[in-house]
Each structure stands twice: as structure tokens, then as C-alpha cells.
């Protein structure tokens, strides 16, 4: 995993050199436009960045009408895999720091994987167990292949208030305090990159350090019996930052004006508000 990220980063350095980030788009300039929000609504990153609902009516229902969505299976599986990855990462760092050899760490992890059955939906326990093992092997292979193992800080909390976001944003991981990492379960979506820009600017506002790159780690989801990890690294470019800020302002306007954006042409079967919208047609 680490080697894949490093290889892709090398390719992106030239992009940064040819398209540098203007100072006004850095997160630490949250006191002036365009980073300064029109209003401070405590929006989540999913409120702003994700378009599983094309018109963003899901945000309207949640933020304006205060509708409680349903916990659908894809969401539950995603939450479980995030917890598994967090557990594996923390255990590996703790055991390696205590002097255990990588092969001993692997034995301990494979013996103590009770967390899988406690958090994973029953029908996906086998798949979650495979994710647990595959992710452990991936991280430990990084340690074996490198003289500088990169620790993963899981669910790093950052205050997004200066950007009009939640005070408890949760970044999946940070690598060497310069690259923000998000893990997704399922198919690749173009808008996932917007979250990298949002988290990057939020971290810049909190840490006063530039965050120029982001990585998306995809777990293939429930379409197959064995897990596969796909990694895509991106330059958090000026255009990507502007796109995130435009999306944030769009949501701020919709919520502030309490304007129903209407139904999308088609609805995702995993949408937590599917039953609500169907009943209101």
C-alpha cells in the first residue's frame, strides 16, 4: 500500500509545480473569501462533497426537515470495515512499538479477530474476516519492505468550524502529516475527490501546514467474496479546492433558504431516505 502511494506521488509532483495552489485557497485563510463561508452551519463532509443523491435532497431532508434516515446495509458494511481497518492499524502500531516481530504480530492479530463478529453484519462476516486479514498483511508488508514504516493515524479529529463545517470532522488517516487518506467501500465515484479537498483545507486551518495531496483507498465491497484494495492518489489542486468551496456554498444556500431541491431523476437503492421520498411522491 505504501509503495503504491509513493509511486503515484512521484508522478504528481510535476502537477503541483505547473499548477501551484494560490495562497487564498489555503485553509488557513478561513477569515477571507473564498475559503470563508457565508454562514456557519456545521455541515458534515458528506453534506458537502457527496452526491449519492444528485440534487442533494438528502441533505435538505436531514438538515432542514430533520428526517431520520434508515440504516441500510451498504452503510452498515462501510461503517464495519472502517472500524476493522482502525482496529488493525492501531493494533499493528502498538505491537510493533512493543518490540514484536511482524510475523508475531500477524499471529496475534489472526488469533484475536473477535472485533469482526461484534461489528460486522451477520451476512458479511466471512467477507469482513477476509478484509481484516488482507489489510493486516498489507500494512505489515509495508513494514517489511521499507526502512521507514509510515504510521497511520486513524480517525484523526479536526475542527472544521472555520470553514463552516462540523467541529468534529473525522479524517480516516493522515500519512506523515502531509497526505490525507480516505477509505471507501464500493465503487469509485468522481465526487469522492472533493472530500480530500475539504479535509485537506480543514487540516490546513487547524495545523497551519500545507496539505497538497490526498489518497482514496477503495475496498471493492460486497460484489465478490475476496477483498481487493485499489489506491488512487490525487493532487489537491486549485480547481479541486474551488469545486469543493462551490459545493459547500451551494449547500449553505439551500439550507439557509430552506429550499427543497426536488427529487433526482433516479434514486440510489442504498439511500437512507428512499422510503421517505417514495412515500411522498
Amino acid at each position: 500500500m505504501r509503495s503504491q502511494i509513493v509511486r503515484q506521488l512521484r508522478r504528481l509532483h510535476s502537477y503541483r509545480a505547473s499548477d501551484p495552489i494560490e495562497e487564498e485557497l489555503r485553509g488557513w485563510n478561513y477569515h477571507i473569501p473564498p475559503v470563508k463561508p457565508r454562514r456557519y452551519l456545521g455541515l458534515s463532509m458528506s453534506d458537502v462533497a457527496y452526491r449519492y443523491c444528485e440534487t442533494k435532497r438528502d441533505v435538505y431532508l436531514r438538515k432542514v426537515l430533520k428526517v431520520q434516515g434508515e440504516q441500510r446495509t451498504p452503510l452498515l458494511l462501510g461503517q464495519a470495515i472502517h472500524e476493522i481497518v482502525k482496529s488493525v492499524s492501531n493494533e499493528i502500531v502498538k505491537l510493533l512499538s512493543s518490540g514484536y516481530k511482524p510475523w508475531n504480530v500477524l499471529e496475534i492479530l489472526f488469533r484475536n479477530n473477535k472485533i469482526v463478529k461484534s461489528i460486522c453484519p451477520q451476512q458479511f462476516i466471512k467477507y469482513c474476516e477476509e478484509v481484516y486479514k488482507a489489510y493486516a498483511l498489507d500494512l505489515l508488508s509495508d513494514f517489511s519492505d521499507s526502512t521507514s514504516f509510515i504510521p497511520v493515524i486513524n480517525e484523526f479529529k479536526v475542527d472544521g468550524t472555520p470553514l463552516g463545517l462540523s467541529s468534529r470532522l473525522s479524517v480516516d488517516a493522515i500519512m506523515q502529516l502531509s497526505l490525507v487518506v480516505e477509505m471507501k467501500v464500493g465503487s469509485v465515484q468522481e465526487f469522492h475527490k472533493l472530500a480530500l479537498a475539504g479535509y485537506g483545507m480543514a487540516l490546513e486551518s487547524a495545523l497551519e501546514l500545507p496539505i497538497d495531496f490526498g489518497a482514496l483507498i477503495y475496498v471493492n465491497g460486497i460484489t465478490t467474496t475476496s477483498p481487493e484494495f485499489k489506491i488512487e492518489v490525487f493532487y489537491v489542486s486549485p480547481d479541486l479546492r474551488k469545486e469543493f468551496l462551490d459545493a459547500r456554498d451551494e449547500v449553505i444556500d439551500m439550507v439557509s433558504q430552506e429550499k427543497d431541491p426536488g427529487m433526482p431523476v433516479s434514486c440510489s437503492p442504498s439511500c437512507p431516505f428512499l422510503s421517505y421520498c417514495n412515500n411522498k411522491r
Side-chain angles (χ1 to χ4, degrees):
M1 187 174 296
R2 174 190 179 276
S3 59
Q4 291 182 58
I5 289 175
V6 170
R7 281 198 304 270
Q8 292 188 48
L9 275 174
R10 290 187 182 124
R11 170 176 55 84
L12 294 174
H13 289 312
S14 61
Y15 293 173
R16 178 174 61 177
S18 62
D19 187 22
I21 298 166
E22 301 99 317
E23 187 70 12
E24 66 174 10
L25 292 174
R26 291 293 189 184
W28 54 72
N29 279 316
Y30 54 83
H31 56 290
I32 56 175
V35 178
K36 181 180 180 180
R38 296 170 186 170
R39 290 187 66 184
Y40 296 86
L41 302 179
L43 299 171
S44 70
M45 194 59 67
S46 62
D47 289 339
V48 175
Y50 299 158
R51 281 197 180 271
Y52 293 107
C53 178
E54 185 60 35
T55 64
K56 299 193 81 71
R57 192 169 194 254
D58 56 339
V59 181
Y60 170 79
L61 295 176
R62 184 166 51 247
K63 301 293 287 188
V64 178
L65 298 188
K66 309 299 182 184
V67 177
Q68 294 293 318
E70 299 174 326
Q71 289 276 54
R72 294 189 173 269
T73 299
L75 180 60
L76 293 173
L77 179 62
Q79 291 171 345
I81 288 179
H82 272 81
E83 284 300 311
I84 289 168
V85 166
K86 175 185 174 183
S87 174
V88 170
S89 299
N90 290 340
E91 281 299 304
I92 286 178
V93 171
K94 182 176 73 176
L95 291 168
L96 289 174
S97 300
S98 299
Y100 286 92
K101 300 298 184 183
W103 50 90
N104 297 134
V105 171
L106 205 58
E107 290 174 359
I108 294 169
L109 287 173
F110 284 12
R111 278 201 312 266
N112 303 325
N113 66 344
K114 295 178 182 177
I115 186 174
V116 173
K117 291 183 179 178
S118 67
I119 64 174
C120 193
Q122 186 65 35
Q123 65 269 44
F124 302 124
I125 284 181
K126 178 63 176 176
Y127 179 80
C128 289
E129 287 176 341
E130 294 300 314
V131 170
Y132 182 98
K133 294 175 183 177
Y135 194 71
L137 283 167
D138 213 328
L139 284 190
L140 285 168
S141 67
D142 283 345
F143 179 83
S144 301
D145 294 342
S146 173
T147 56
S148 56
F149 176 69
I150 301 179
V152 178
I153 307 170
N154 278 280
E155 294 192 0
F156 186 90
K157 301 299 181 185
V158 60
D159 182 5
T161 303
L163 276 68
L165 305 174
S166 167
S167 61
R168 294 284 293 171
L169 291 179
S170 182
V171 183
D172 280 350
I174 303 173
M175 299 180 75
Q176 291 186 332
L177 287 181
S178 61
L179 183 141
V180 60
V181 180
E182 274 289 286
M183 177 168 281
K184 299 296 174 191
V185 179
S187 60
V188 175
Q189 299 289 343
E190 186 68 19
F191 53 71
H192 287 157
K193 293 187 294 185
L194 289 188
L196 296 179
Y199 284 127
M201 285 191 284
L203 286 165
E204 286 177 345
S205 74
L207 303 176
E208 299 284 337
L209 293 170
I211 306 292
D212 290 349
F213 301 103
L216 289 168
I217 301 176
Y218 286 97
V219 187
N220 58 342
I222 56 178
T223 56
T224 61
T225 55
S226 59
E228 296 177 1
F229 299 100
K230 177 183 178 183
I231 300 171
E232 293 193 32
V233 183
F234 300 94
Y235 171 43
V236 184
S237 66
D239 286 345
L240 194 59
R241 290 165 183 258
K242 291 173 186 175
E243 189 177 350
F244 173 80
L245 294 173
D246 287 345
R248 179 201 63 182
D249 292 342
E250 174 192 344
V251 173
I252 288 175
D253 289 345
M254 178 183 67
V255 174
S256 299
Q257 298 166 15
E258 299 187 355
K259 183 178 179 180
D260 188 341
M263 294 281 291
V265 174
S266 61
C267 294
S268 168
S270 62
C271 177
F273 302 101
L274 189 62
S275 297
Y276 179 89
C277 289
N278 285 337
N279 291 333
K280 297 295 182 179
R281 287 182 186 272

